[in-house]
Amino acid sequence: MSALKVLDPDKTEVAPSQVVVTDSAFNASAGDVLVSNCNDGLLRKVKSVSSQSVASGGVSSQAVRKVYIQTEEATLEDAIASGDVSLETDLTIGEANMVQALDGVSVQDFTGRINLTNVKFDIPGVPGGSITLNGFIEQTLKPSFNLKISSGSVEVFRASMSGTLKSSITATIQANASYSPFSLNKELASWNIKRAFLVGSVPVVVVLQPKLIAGVSSNASGKVTVQVGIAPTFTTNLQLDYDRSRTTNGGWNNTFSANFALNPTFNYSVPVQGAGNAFAGLAMDIKFYGVAGPSLEAKPFINLTLNGNNGSAALKTGINGKSKVEAGFKVLGKGLETSYDGPSIEQARTFSCQAPNKCTAN
């Protein structure tokens, strides 16, 4: 009969298909399930076991027993027959846990404010042409999870990101000639945050990977100089959930809500026909036991359409929310194997703008 084995991280080494346990009292059999909060978390099923005594160094040398375990994929359904747990955590991003940041991106510790200083996207094929982002993003977002297992399978799973997202972003478009439509996206910075919680005696390990993402697209019929911006505060809730009883989309669904106040700015000195779009927002990838699962995105955006005849422009601005789950996310349960790419959901308002700097809400 299979058993659940909770391993001591200090006595465990993990390779892709092998686990080595240094513990003279440890034993396991084929079919047992191994769990641990080592590394990004361990959840594997035992295929076979062998052991070896290895001489340790030092003056009083003695044998140390190492257990070599060949493993295969397992799910929480193999480890938990029933259980219910919820977790809410702060999204603590700063210099200390930053994985990478591009030039022009810096983060203030404690506040988590992300500053953008002349983050430049060059316009392809146009010498000296560029779209430059400046500003900041502040967030007090709280990721939360709810997991319920009953009757031997996952009944409900929810992952959400809710709270406030405050930003002040300006996009400056400059070019000395006309240019064709283009679109560029960049990952500006990323972080790695590990959290663990218990369902009964089973450690469930989650790694949160927030990312600052930005993108621009634009085109113009001639020389152009324009600056547009927003300084909104959003209250947002983005949620991806699975329900075993749901018959659509493999049981998956996404919801999004946002309330905001927008403060658009506009400066337009060289009128042409064209368009400029920009966004800078947060995405969060979620991994359970190192397996890629849900991804949530909240992206404030600016969409600008220029009218060269009279120096006017139409401005649309707001926030996009999107969520998806990768294929093969069966680490929580075999019913969660199917990928789900939820629709992008938008909440926005439009403005009519007139050169040089006036915008009126429609």
Side-chain angles (χ1 to χ4, degrees), residues 341-358:
D341 197 351
S344 180
I345 305 172
E346 177 184 285
Q347 294 207 7
R349 293 173 188 160
T350 59
F351 299 83
S352 296
C353 301
Q354 183 68 43
N357 55 21
K358 183 180 179 181

Side-chain angles (χ1 to χ4, degrees), residues 242-252:
Y242 168 84
D243 191 309
R244 187 173 60 196
S245 63
R246 187 177 290 130
T247 58
T248 56
N249 300 319
W252 289 101

Side-chain angles (χ1 to χ4, degrees), residues 51 144 223:
S51 62
S144 62
K223 180 179 179 180

Side-chain angles (χ1 to χ4, degrees), residues 48-221:
S48 62
V49 181
S50 62
S51 62
Q52 181 181 1
S53 294
V54 180
S56 65
V59 177
S60 56
S61 179
Q62 61 182 10
V64 175
R65 180 173 175 264
K66 287 194 171 186
V67 182
Y68 297 86
I69 308 167
Q70 303 303 312
T71 65
E72 59 186 359
E73 286 184 336
T75 72
L76 273 179
E77 294 172 338
D78 297 317
I80 303 170
S82 63
D84 190 350
V85 68
S86 297
L87 172 73
E88 183 176 82
T89 182
D90 291 325
L91 192 56
T92 50
I93 58 177
E95 295 283 358
N97 57 7
M98 183 184 289
V99 177
Q100 63 89 26
L102 297 185
D103 290 343
V105 180
S106 61
V107 182
Q108 296 176 354
D109 279 327
F110 305 111
T111 66
R113 173 169 163 154
I114 308 166
N115 294 308
L116 307 179
T117 306
N118 295 327
V119 177
K120 184 177 287 188
F121 295 75
D122 293 328
I123 297 174
V126 181
S130 65
I131 299 180
T132 305
L133 300 181
N134 279 283
F136 67 85
I137 293 179
E138 292 179 348
Q139 59 80 30
T140 55
L141 296 173
K142 287 183 177 290
S144 62
F145 308 95
N146 177 249
L147 173 65
K148 183 177 182 180
I149 297 176
S150 66
S151 303
S153 68
V154 172
E155 179 181 347
V156 173
F157 169 69
R158 294 189 182 95
S160 68
M161 187 166 62
S162 61
T164 59
L165 186 66
K166 180 181 180 181
S167 64
S168 177
I169 302 168
T170 60
T172 303
I173 306 172
Q174 292 178 304
N176 293 321
S178 64
Y179 57 92
S180 300
F182 79 97
S183 180
L184 294 172
N185 292 331
K186 291 183 180 179
E187 182 179 311
L188 304 183
S190 62
W191 294 265
N192 211 62
I193 302 168
K194 180 180 176 180
R195 295 287 185 268
F197 53 98
L198 291 175
V199 179
S201 62
V202 179
V204 179
V205 182
V206 182
V207 175
L208 307 177
Q209 296 179 316
K211 299 180 292 184
L212 176 64
I213 53 177
V216 297
S217 59
S218 184
N219 67 279
S221 63

